[in-house]
Amino acid sequence: MANSFGKLFTITTFGESHGPAIGGVIDGCPAGIELNFDTIQAELDRRKPGQSKIVTQRKEPDEVQFLSGIFEGKTTGASIGFIINNVHQRSNDYSHIKDSYRPSHADYTYDKKYGVRDYRGGGRTSARETANWVVGGAVAKQVIPNITINAYTSSVGDLFLEKPYQDIDFKETENNIVRCPDPEVAKKMIQKIDDIRKQGDTIGGTITCVVKNVPVGLGEPIFDKLHAQLGKAMLSINAVKGFEYGSGFCGAKMKGSEHNDIFNADGTTKTNLSGGIQGGISNGMDIYFRVAFKPVATIMQAQQTIDKKGDIVEMHGKGRHDPCVVPRAVPIVEALTAMVLVDFMLLNK
Amino acid sequence: MANSFGKLFTITTFGESHGPAIGGVIDGCPAGIELNFDTIQAELDRRKPGQSKIVTQRKEPDEVQFLSGIFEGKTTGASIGFIINNVHQRSNDYSHIKDSYRPSHADYTYDKKYGVRDYRGGGRTSARETANWVVGGAVAKQVIPNITINAYTSSVGDLFLEKPYQDIDFKETENNIVRCPDPEVAKKMIQKIDDIRKQGDTIGGTITCVVKNVPVGLGEPIFDKLHAQLGKAMLSINAVKGFEYGSGFCGAKMKGSEHNDIFNADGTTKTNLSGGIQGGISNGMDIYFRVAFKPVATIMQAQQTIDKKGDIVEMHGKGRHDPCVVPRAVPIVEALTAMVLVDFMLLNK
Amino acid sequence: MANSFGKLFTITTFGESHGPAIGGVIDGCPAGIELNFDTIQAELDRRKPGQSKIVTQRKEPDEVQFLSGIFEGKTTGASIGFIINNVHQRSNDYSHIKDSYRPSHADYTYDKKYGVRDYRGGGRTSARETANWVVGGAVAKQVIPNITINAYTSSVGDLFLEKPYQDIDFKETENNIVRCPDPEVAKKMIQKIDDIRKQGDTIGGTITCVVKNVPVGLGEPIFDKLHAQLGKAMLSINAVKGFEYGSGFCGAKMKGSEHNDIFNADGTTKTNLSGGIQGGISNGMDIYFRVAFKPVATIMQAQQTIDKKGDIVEMHGKGRHDPCVVPRAVPIVEALTAMVLVDFMLLNK
Amino acid sequence: MANSFGKLFTITTFGESHGPAIGGVIDGCPAGIELNFDTIQAELDRRKPGQSKIVTQRKEPDEVQFLSGIFEGKTTGASIGFIINNVHQRSNDYSHIKDSYRPSHADYTYDKKYGVRDYRGGGRTSARETANWVVGGAVAKQVIPNITINAYTSSVGDLFLEKPYQDIDFKETENNIVRCPDPEVAKKMIQKIDDIRKQGDTIGGTITCVVKNVPVGLGEPIFDKLHAQLGKAMLSINAVKGFEYGSGFCGAKMKGSEHNDIFNADGTTKTNLSGGIQGGISNGMDIYFRVAFKPVATIMQAQQTIDKKGDIVEMHGKGRHDPCVVPRAVPIVEALTAMVLVDFMLLNK
């Protein structure tokens, strides 16, 4: 079930960017949840292409249509089917990759694995798939309204938002197109992405996600630890190369006497290098983690590559692509986080 | 099934360090594999306590006994049950934590989640569990003899092995007790851990793992991508705080024109920032990834903490603990990697 | 994942008869299968309502639309999304059951379990769901073209087709509207159902299914035995009350000396009371099993029942219902069988 | 995970009758259950060989040893490992089947599927495996103490206990060695089995199981219906050929006007042909079902069979075998039922 995620709250997805529609099935959503459909669409709008000058200019309305599992505005406990029609695909944009493998894409591996490849728009590897996840996450968020999940752009290339998350006003995140909650840093990031775009190049970045009001007890050791499942979720996103939570890779440089989080009398801790998770189980403190995205592989510069026969050919990126994937990935990170949390909430009951 | 890992080649484990035995069930191992039991025991010996001065001095023979699934030295396709007896547990070492929560351990979260806790040796959270994984991995390695998996200590605290993995002679890894394949750096790391140990403190570190001769095509997108499953496996190991593969977090600083791996005519790539995986599927290049371990939480220094009633108490680490978890974690990283690879080999057929 | 079936070849479904559409996701279909869409639609036509005078007169075109996973007529290895629009729902047919529980339906249990119920057309419990399964089965059949699966009506009420399956010409099955391959018995069955229909009553029946050309080795003991999974599949169909394979309940009356299937030199057996499965694994002989269907619960006669408040009310069946479910269930039995077999083919590789 | 059963409360098993031990892992048992170990052993004693003259005379103490997951007599929420040592295996009893396939056993199919076979005692196909299930079921029963599960022998060959289950005093079941709760019928059954045994033959039979005090709401449609999972469980037991619940195969002969269960004002029903399950969900009425067992394949008479080379050989059953499997299968049916129910209790929460 390689296209399913989750144990009790699961999403099973399908779709390529150039087929008639993408979509999925949300299974295990508790009955009786009154869904706010505007909120769901708003999440999709945060991810959708064409929303600003620093993202792909492909235009897609990304309107989700729910087909089942909801009656008189409430979930019924039945599986929730949904589709998002593909409106503006232009298949001819992709004829140049029909027989050639784009560097650092999945063209080569898909062809070798499956022997057949829907080359239009990357087929199943298209980041369009993540719209399905945003639907799942938007439903999941409504199952756990008291938990707040805030992701934001924490770096673009070598530009970092240096502030610790505790000093950040998350309400600022949506006030700029790069989704960095510090207006000054955001301005620089936007400039950087725009410069990169003009060079026909792309740039990587990182997203930090902070989760507040998590109840104690989420996570199922030994193998379904909360952070392990969060990590798997994040590593499922296109272009992700790394995941760390709490002290992360920095923690590997520290001493135990520095790293240990000393308890307060109420069970909270004075520091939170643990990142809200101990032994794979939430401890009630804020959960925070960071996700690394490589630069988008499609660049508007000439690159050498090979075709199916193994001949060397020159390729030049075409079509409408993101110079930096990070701004649009912020709602995706939140969506997967929400689904992971709901799943563990249900497992914990 | 929180104590199971894998889809077709699975391991299901049990055991606490202070019960009579730990063990597990390996399910889905192909039939007809002629097992070398000395090799399996040798892997356990690499993980076992008491092997050197820089690891815990607890003595355990860690002898695995196979109970089923093997006939005349060959696997039969039936599930393979195994146990490892616990020999040298000293339960009285743990009476001081019966009612108190050790900082940055899972004592608090287990107590809150389950309402009952086997406090002896950390109960189910003990790293002793990883001996089970080494058994599973040692069997898995014999299913894929042509794939070579080499993990090694790549940093201890702020001491880094700076060499790229391509310049490393993996045969050196087992020649020193810290399992760093560079003798000079190894010597410094050993000294550092020994100093830390004498201070009653602990230190973090990282492990790098390199996998060669992987066939093209392993990995099952969209949600069971090869690197996502490797990440989940690594994040299951006690004390792990981060995972990155290929260019990892560094890749997030790069431009697409720098990061793309240009193809050679034979489908190999000139560079390998992708880390041997594209679109979640192995491309035949070396797979490499890095895992961050926090410092062990049990230190031999006085720390303030709380007891079950919420009263502040002072705690002083007792028992026999590792000053740095990394040297003994090297075979664990390899074991989980082997199990993930076999699982995808079977899914790919 | 209560709306998913299968391990490697899986179907995940959604939909109620009175929503905009039903549908599902087929995951794990091997790549490179050239699909014949006419054949798929023909299977749906065998199940569809309104096809004859002895089935429900509800009219639905039941046209399946594939949304993904297929490129240039071939499967790509990606998940296959599909929908079937609901065209002729008449929600007002169901207002009489909004607050009352129909006897021997799932109205009561769904209401108690979920606290909310889509009462229109039975909501998720509608047999309309089985159209999704027929799509999955029709795809599955094309993955295993050499295996032939023939189901047929073997009894209606107390009218039995007494012939052993070996004497049956399966080509006759589709030549009559009750799908009994013996024209004489078929005529009586049709008459019986028509009589029952005129009385406003319903009648039960059984379906026998015969599978030929099954390779040796399908089935995964201990818990995923071939017949156990077939049984689970059949027991998932609405109205099914029993499953038996090979000698079935009759076998429970026999002696070992009568029941044992003696081998021929080539590994085939002289008799086949085992039903083609030994130890949960196919032995290459014909697989045959029988499925019992209770009479449809909706009858056109007055029945006493209760409403949500627990008051006794009188209810009279309305709408368009089947007097006997068996004729339309024949393709459903085949579809589930095909999916089970493909799943085990993939697990066996 | 072919050796695992269950979703949240799972058992994963291993073992052959002629290895050192069999055993398993119970995962997902709720924490805080105070286990009565005498009760668990008592269940094993009901299944164990050598308990009476009408069962196999092999002697095995069948003492279960718990290795983990229990602390101070209570479950901790961690996985529960257990083993049962094999004491009295006599491997030389099986040399005659090393190269030959016993008729209607799994020798042939295992050899063809796996290419290697542990022929001693049937290897993994031995009914000894079911001792593991009895352990799992005995634990499960203690998780749901208010639900009562009573299985009993309802037929041996053509000798039937004709009484409806409502008229049966379940306390009589354990008062005779055939486990039929009617003393008169039991006497005849015992005589019949003893006669069959003396002829060197075996006989089939059926077991009926009745479950009382089941809460409304257990079962997870569409595919994890309560009766579908019960059916799969029963069909996993060695020698089972059929499963029916409620009206079963008889229901297929009935009319809707006869079969429908009319409600009382309190939601109970006047009749219970539904068998306590509607739409795959328990309705609070008694659940009852019936399981068909074929005669044991090993008979003490000469039979013709083939060897690995395909040569015809004569075989004569040796060793210690059951003339009728049904008396010892009664606790197995109960055990699997208990595990299924606990699983759905946890899924329902």
Side-chain angles (χ1 to χ4, degrees):
Chain A
M1 306 215 49
N3 292 284
S4 293
F5 188 78
K7 295 217 162 188
L8 292 185
F9 183 96
T10 62
I11 187 167
T12 302
T13 62
F14 66 84
E16 294 90 35
S17 62
H18 287 64
I22 63 169
V25 184
I26 299 166
D27 198 1
C29 184
I33 307 288
E34 197 160 338
L35 291 179
N36 182 327
F37 297 99
D38 293 341
T39 309
I40 295 169
Q41 191 59 49
E43 290 292 317
L44 277 165
D45 291 347
R46 292 172 74 203
R47 194 215 70 97
K48 99 176 153 183
Q51 64 182 268
S52 79
K53 66 175 180 179
I54 59 168
V55 307
T56 171
Q57 295 306 300
R58 181 175 166 167
K59 295 280 183 199
E60 280 288 356
D62 275 0
E63 281 167 12
V64 62
Q65 186 188 0
F66 289 100
L67 301 175
S68 69
I70 301 163
F71 184 57
E72 296 176 347
K74 279 188 191 166
T75 59
T76 63
S79 49
I80 300 170
F82 65 88
I83 55 171
I84 302 170
N85 286 314
N86 292 323
V87 178
H88 287 274
Q89 65 266 35
R90 298 192 208 149
S91 293
N92 57 338
D93 275 1
Y94 296 96
S95 54
H96 65 299
I97 60 164
K98 180 177 174 183
D99 297 315
S100 299
Y101 302 128
R102 290 168 296 172
S104 288
H105 271 89
D107 299 343
Y108 176 78
T109 52
Y110 266 64
D111 223 4
K112 293 292 169 187
K113 183 178 180 76
Y114 299 110
V116 52
R117 177 165 65 96
D118 182 352
Y119 53 81
R120 301 164 306 159
R124 184 69 180 137
T125 71
S126 168
R128 182 145 184 72
E129 157 71 6
T130 57
N132 288 328
W133 308 355
V134 170
V135 174
V139 171
K141 280 183 176 180
Q142 301 195 25
V143 179
I144 46 171
N146 294 329
I147 298 179
T148 58
I149 303 169
N150 284 290
Y152 58 90
T153 299
S154 48
S155 74
V156 170
D158 52 8
L159 273 175
F160 282 79
L161 172 59
E162 306 276 1
K163 276 186 201 168
Y165 81 84
Q166 291 88 342
D167 299 344
I168 286 174
D169 179 3
F170 297 125
K171 287 194 292 292
E172 287 292 325
T173 304
E174 292 298 314
N175 287 344
N176 60 69
I177 58 178
V178 76
R179 294 199 167 86
C180 173
D182 182 300
E184 288 311 302
V185 181
K187 198 178 292 177
K188 290 180 198 162
M189 287 174 170
I190 292 164
Q191 186 62 50
K192 175 158 211 118
I193 295 173
D194 209 35
D195 291 348
I196 287 283
R197 183 182 64 78
K198 286 172 186 158
Q199 295 162 24
D201 212 337
T202 61
I203 186 90
T206 62
I207 291 175
T208 296
C209 184
V210 181
V211 191
K212 288 173 176 288
N213 299 326
V214 182
V216 184
L218 303 193
E220 300 290 325
I222 296 300
F223 287 113
D224 292 326
K225 290 173 173 164
L226 177 49
H227 60 273
Q229 195 66 1
L230 283 170
K232 180 171 177 183
M234 296 307 136
L235 289 158
S236 301
I237 306 172
N238 306 42
V240 169
K241 303 298 287 184
F243 169 85
E244 60 178 4
Y245 80 104
S247 63
F249 277 87
C250 282
K253 300 184 197 165
M254 294 172 76
K255 291 193 282 188
S257 55
E258 299 162 340
H259 193 279
N260 284 352
D261 293 318
I262 302 303
F263 281 107
N264 296 310
D266 62 357
T268 60
T269 57
K270 294 181 197 301
T271 51
N272 182 19
L273 291 160
S274 298
I277 301 170
Q278 285 170 334
I281 299 169
S282 62
N283 69 353
M285 300 295 290
D286 297 341
I287 293 172
Y288 62 99
F289 57 85
R290 206 161 68 97
V291 187
F293 293 78
K294 69 165 188 167
V296 172
T298 300
I299 59 176
M300 300 296 126
Q301 301 177 353
Q303 291 180 104
Q304 178 190 301
T305 192
I306 57 169
D307 64 15
K308 281 191 174 192
K309 291 170 292 184
D311 290 337
I312 303 285
V313 294
E314 194 178 274
M315 175 175 280
H316 196 290
K318 279 188 197 169
R320 301 149 297 177
H321 296 278
D322 289 276
C324 180
V325 80
V326 166
R328 289 176 59 209
V330 165
I332 301 167
V333 166
E334 291 181 4
L336 289 169
T337 302
M339 288 193 281
V340 168
L341 289 170
V342 170
D343 204 26
F344 282 115
M345 291 287 283
L346 297 175
L347 284 163
N348 200 38
K349 273 162 75 179
Chain B
M1 306 216 50
N3 293 283
S4 293
F5 188 78
K7 293 219 161 186
L8 292 186
F9 182 95
T10 62
I11 188 168
T12 302
T13 62
F14 66 84
E16 294 91 35
S17 62
H18 287 64
I22 64 170
V25 184
I26 299 166
D27 198 2
C29 184
I33 306 288
E34 198 159 337
L35 291 179
N36 182 329
F37 297 99
D38 292 340
T39 309
I40 296 169
Q41 191 58 50
E43 290 292 317
L44 278 165
D45 291 346
R46 293 173 73 202
R47 195 214 69 98
K48 96 176 156 184
Q51 64 183 267
S52 78
K53 66 176 179 179
I54 59 170
V55 306
T56 172
Q57 295 307 300
R58 180 173 167 170
K59 296 280 183 197
E60 280 288 356
D62 276 1
E63 281 167 12
V64 62
Q65 186 188 1
F66 289 100
L67 300 175
S68 70
I70 301 163
F71 184 56
E72 298 177 344
K74 279 188 190 165
T75 59
T76 64
S79 51
I80 299 171
F82 66 87
I83 56 171
I84 302 169
N85 286 314
N86 292 323
V87 177
H88 286 274
Q89 65 266 35
R90 301 192 206 148
S91 293
N92 56 338
D93 276 3
Y94 296 97
S95 54
H96 65 298
I97 59 166
K98 182 177 174 182
D99 297 314
S100 298
Y101 302 126
R102 290 167 297 171
S104 289
H105 271 90
D107 299 343
Y108 175 79
T109 52
Y110 266 65
D111 223 4
K112 293 291 169 188
K113 183 178 181 75
Y114 299 110
V116 53
R117 177 166 63 97
D118 182 353
Y119 53 83
R120 301 163 307 158
R124 184 70 180 134
T125 71
S126 168
R128 181 144 187 72
E129 157 72 6
T130 57
N132 289 328
W133 308 355
V134 170
V135 174
V139 170
K141 281 183 177 181
Q142 301 195 25
V143 179
I144 44 170
N146 294 327
I147 298 179
T148 58
I149 303 169
N150 284 290
Y152 57 91
T153 299
S154 47
S155 74
V156 169
D158 52 8
L159 272 174
F160 282 79
L161 172 60
E162 306 275 2
K163 277 186 201 167
Y165 81 84
Q166 291 88 344
D167 299 344
I168 286 175
D169 179 3
F170 296 125
K171 286 194 292 292
E172 287 291 325
T173 304
E174 292 300 312
N175 287 344
N176 60 69
I177 58 179
V178 77
R179 295 198 167 87
C180 173
D182 181 303
E184 288 311 301
V185 181
K187 200 180 289 178
K188 289 181 199 163
M189 287 175 170
I190 292 165
Q191 187 61 50
K192 177 159 209 115
I193 296 174
D194 208 37
D195 290 350
I196 286 284
R197 183 183 62 78
K198 285 172 186 159
Q199 294 162 25
D201 212 338
T202 60
I203 186 90
T206 61
I207 290 176
T208 296
C209 185
V210 181
V211 191
K212 289 173 175 288
N213 298 325
V214 183
V216 184
L218 302 193
E220 300 289 325
I222 295 301
F223 287 113
D224 293 327
K225 289 174 175 165
L226 177 48
H227 59 273
Q229 195 66 0
L230 283 170
K232 180 169 178 185
M234 296 307 135
L235 289 158
S236 301
I237 306 173
N238 307 42
V240 169
K241 303 298 287 184
F243 169 85
E244 60 178 5
Y245 79 105
S247 63
F249 277 88
C250 283
K253 299 183 198 166
M254 295 171 77
K255 291 192 283 189
S257 56
E258 298 163 339
H259 194 278
N260 283 354
D261 293 317
I262 302 304
F263 281 107
N264 296 310
D266 62 357
T268 61
T269 57
K270 294 180 196 301
T271 50
N272 183 18
L273 290 160
S274 298
I277 301 171
Q278 286 171 333
I281 298 170
S282 62
N283 68 353
M285 300 295 290
D286 296 341
I287 293 172
Y288 61 99
F289 57 83
R290 207 160 68 97
V291 188
F293 292 79
K294 69 164 189 167
V296 172
T298 300
I299 59 177
M300 299 297 126
Q301 301 177 354
Q303 292 180 103
Q304 178 190 299
T305 191
I306 58 170
D307 64 15
K308 283 192 172 193
K309 291 171 291 184
D311 290 336
I312 304 284
V313 293
E314 194 178 271
M315 175 174 281
H316 196 288
K318 280 188 198 171
R320 300 150 296 176
H321 295 279
D322 289 277
C324 179
V325 81
V326 166
R328 288 178 59 210
V330 166
I332 300 167
V333 166
E334 292 181 3
L336 288 168
T337 302
M339 287 193 282
V340 168
L341 290 171
V342 169
D343 205 25
F344 282 115
M345 291 285 283
L346 296 175
L347 284 163
N348 200 37
K349 273 163 76 180
Chain C
M1 305 214 51
N3 293 283
S4 293
F5 187 78
K7 293 218 160 186
L8 292 186
F9 183 96
T10 62
I11 187 167
T12 302
T13 62
F14 66 83
E16 294 91 36
S17 61
H18 287 65
I22 63 169
V25 184
I26 299 166
D27 198 1
C29 184
I33 306 289
E34 198 160 338
L35 290 179
N36 182 328
F37 296 100
D38 292 340
T39 307
I40 295 169
Q41 191 59 49
E43 290 292 317
L44 278 165
D45 292 346
R46 293 173 73 202
R47 195 213 71 96
K48 99 177 154 183
Q51 63 183 268
S52 78
K53 66 176 180 180
I54 59 169
V55 307
T56 171
Q57 295 307 301
R58 180 173 167 170
K59 296 280 183 196
E60 279 288 356
D62 276 1
E63 281 168 13
V64 61
Q65 186 187 3
F66 289 100
L67 301 174
S68 68
I70 300 163
F71 184 57
E72 297 176 344
K74 278 188 191 166
T75 59
T76 64
S79 50
I80 299 170
F82 66 88
I83 56 171
I84 302 169
N85 286 314
N86 292 324
V87 177
H88 285 273
Q89 64 266 35
R90 299 192 207 148
S91 294
N92 56 340
D93 275 2
Y94 296 96
S95 53
H96 65 297
I97 59 166
K98 181 177 173 181
D99 297 314
S100 300
Y101 302 127
R102 291 169 295 172
S104 288
H105 271 90
D107 299 343
Y108 176 79
T109 52
Y110 265 65
D111 223 4
K112 292 293 168 187
K113 183 178 180 76
Y114 300 110
V116 54
R117 178 165 64 96
D118 182 353
Y119 53 80
R120 301 164 308 159
R124 185 68 180 135
T125 71
S126 169
R128 182 145 186 73
E129 157 71 6
T130 57
N132 289 327
W133 308 355
V134 170
V135 174
V139 171
K141 280 183 177 181
Q142 301 194 26
V143 179
I144 45 170
N146 294 326
I147 297 179
T148 58
I149 303 170
N150 284 290
Y152 58 90
T153 299
S154 46
S155 75
V156 169
D158 51 10
L159 273 174
F160 282 79
L161 171 59
E162 306 277 1
K163 276 186 202 167
Y165 81 83
Q166 291 88 344
D167 299 342
I168 286 175
D169 179 4
F170 296 126
K171 286 194 294 291
E172 287 291 326
T173 304
E174 292 298 314
N175 287 344
N176 61 69
I177 59 179
V178 77
R179 295 199 167 85
C180 174
D182 181 301
E184 288 311 299
V185 182
K187 201 179 291 177
K188 289 182 200 162
M189 287 174 170
I190 292 164
Q191 187 60 51
K192 177 159 209 115
I193 296 173
D194 209 36
D195 290 349
I196 287 282
R197 184 182 62 78
K198 286 173 186 158
Q199 294 162 25
D201 212 337
T202 60
I203 186 92
T206 60
I207 291 175
T208 296
C209 185
V210 181
V211 191
K212 289 173 176 288
N213 297 326
V214 182
V216 185
L218 303 193
E220 300 288 324
I222 297 301
F223 287 113
D224 293 328
K225 289 174 173 162
L226 177 48
H227 60 272
Q229 195 66 0
L230 283 170
K232 180 170 177 185
M234 297 306 135
L235 289 158
S236 301
I237 305 173
N238 307 42
V240 169
K241 303 298 287 186
F243 169 85
E244 60 178 3
Y245 79 104
S247 62
F249 277 88
C250 282
K253 299 184 197 165
M254 294 172 78
K255 290 192 284 190
S257 55
E258 299 162 339
H259 194 279
N260 283 355
D261 294 318
I262 302 304
F263 281 107
N264 296 310
D266 63 356
T268 61
T269 57
K270 293 180 197 303
T271 51
N272 183 18
L273 292 160
S274 297
I277 301 170
Q278 286 170 334
I281 298 170
S282 62
N283 68 353
M285 300 295 291
D286 295 341
I287 292 173
Y288 62 99
F289 56 84
R290 207 161 67 99
V291 187
F293 292 79
K294 68 164 190 169
V296 171
T298 300
I299 59 177
M300 299 297 127
Q301 301 177 354
Q303 292 180 102
Q304 179 190 301
T305 192
I306 57 170
D307 65 14
K308 282 190 175 194
K309 291 171 292 184
D311 291 337
I312 303 284
V313 294
E314 193 177 273
M315 176 174 282
H316 197 287
K318 280 187 198 172
R320 300 150 295 176
H321 296 278
D322 289 276
C324 179
V325 81
V326 166
R328 289 177 60 211
V330 166
I332 301 167
V333 166
E334 292 181 5
L336 288 168
T337 302
M339 287 193 282
V340 168
L341 289 171
V342 170
D343 205 26
F344 282 115
M345 291 287 282
L346 297 174
L347 284 163
N348 200 37
K349 272 163 79 180
Chain D
M1 307 215 49
N3 292 284
S4 293
F5 188 79
K7 294 217 162 189
L8 291 186
F9 183 95
T10 62
I11 187 167
T12 302
T13 62
F14 65 84
E16 294 91 35
S17 61
H18 287 65
I22 63 169
V25 184
I26 300 165
D27 197 2
C29 184
I33 307 288
E34 198 160 338
L35 291 179
N36 182 329
F37 296 99
D38 293 340
T39 308
I40 295 169
Q41 191 59 49
E43 290 291 319
L44 277 166
D45 292 346
R46 292 173 73 203
R47 195 215 70 96
K48 100 175 153 184
Q51 64 182 268
S52 79
K53 66 175 179 179
I54 59 168
V55 307
T56 172
Q57 294 307 302
R58 181 175 166 166
K59 296 280 182 198
E60 279 288 357
D62 275 1
E63 281 168 12
V64 62
Q65 186 188 0
F66 288 100
L67 301 174
S68 70
I70 301 162
F71 184 56
E72 297 176 347
K74 278 187 190 166
T75 59
T76 63
S79 49
I80 299 171
F82 66 88
I83 56 171
I84 303 169
N85 285 314
N86 292 325
V87 177
H88 286 274
Q89 65 265 36
R90 300 191 207 150
S91 292
N92 55 340
D93 276 1
Y94 296 96
S95 53
H96 65 299
I97 59 165
K98 182 176 174 182
D99 296 314
S100 298
Y101 303 127
R102 290 169 296 172
S104 287
H105 271 88
D107 298 342
Y108 176 78
T109 51
Y110 266 64
D111 223 5
K112 293 293 169 187
K113 184 178 178 75
Y114 299 111
V116 53
R117 178 167 63 96
D118 182 352
Y119 54 81
R120 301 164 307 160
R124 185 68 180 136
T125 71
S126 169
R128 182 144 185 73
E129 158 71 6
T130 57
N132 289 328
W133 307 356
V134 170
V135 174
V139 170
K141 281 184 177 181
Q142 301 196 24
V143 178
I144 46 170
N146 294 327
I147 298 179
T148 58
I149 303 169
N150 284 290
Y152 58 90
T153 299
S154 46
S155 74
V156 169
D158 52 9
L159 273 175
F160 282 79
L161 173 60
E162 306 276 4
K163 277 186 201 168
Y165 83 82
Q166 292 88 342
D167 299 344
I168 286 175
D169 180 3
F170 296 126
K171 287 194 292 293
E172 287 291 326
T173 304
E174 293 298 313
N175 287 345
N176 60 69
I177 59 178
V178 77
R179 294 199 168 85
C180 173
D182 181 302
E184 288 310 302
V185 181
K187 200 179 290 177
K188 289 181 201 163
M189 287 175 170
I190 293 165
Q191 187 61 51
K192 176 157 210 118
I193 296 173
D194 209 35
D195 290 348
I196 287 284
R197 184 183 61 79
K198 286 173 187 158
Q199 295 162 24
D201 212 337
T202 61
I203 187 91
T206 61
I207 291 176
T208 297
C209 184
V210 181
V211 192
K212 289 174 175 288
N213 297 326
V214 182
V216 184
L218 302 193
E220 299 290 325
I222 297 301
F223 287 113
D224 293 326
K225 289 175 174 163
L226 177 47
H227 59 273
Q229 195 67 0
L230 282 171
K232 182 172 177 183
M234 295 307 135
L235 289 159
S236 301
I237 306 174
N238 306 42
V240 168
K241 303 298 287 185
F243 169 85
E244 60 178 4
Y245 79 105
S247 62
F249 277 88
C250 282
K253 299 185 198 164
M254 294 173 76
K255 290 192 284 188
S257 56
E258 300 163 339
H259 193 279
N260 283 353
D261 294 317
I262 302 304
F263 281 107
N264 296 311
D266 62 358
T268 61
T269 57
K270 294 181 197 300
T271 50
N272 183 18
L273 291 160
S274 297
I277 301 170
Q278 286 171 334
I281 299 170
S282 62
N283 68 353
M285 300 295 290
D286 296 340
I287 293 172
Y288 62 99
F289 57 84
R290 206 161 68 98
V291 188
F293 293 80
K294 69 164 189 169
V296 172
T298 300
I299 58 176
M300 299 297 126
Q301 300 176 355
Q303 291 180 103
Q304 178 190 301
T305 193
I306 56 169
D307 64 16
K308 282 192 174 191
K309 292 170 292 183
D311 291 336
I312 304 285
V313 293
E314 194 179 274
M315 176 175 280
H316 196 288
K318 279 189 198 171
R320 300 150 296 177
H321 296 279
D322 289 276
C324 180
V325 80
V326 165
R328 290 176 59 207
V330 166
I332 301 167
V333 166
E334 292 181 3
L336 288 168
T337 302
M339 287 194 282
V340 168
L341 290 170
V342 170
D343 204 27
F344 282 115
M345 291 287 283
L346 297 175
L347 283 163
N348 200 38
K349 273 162 78 179

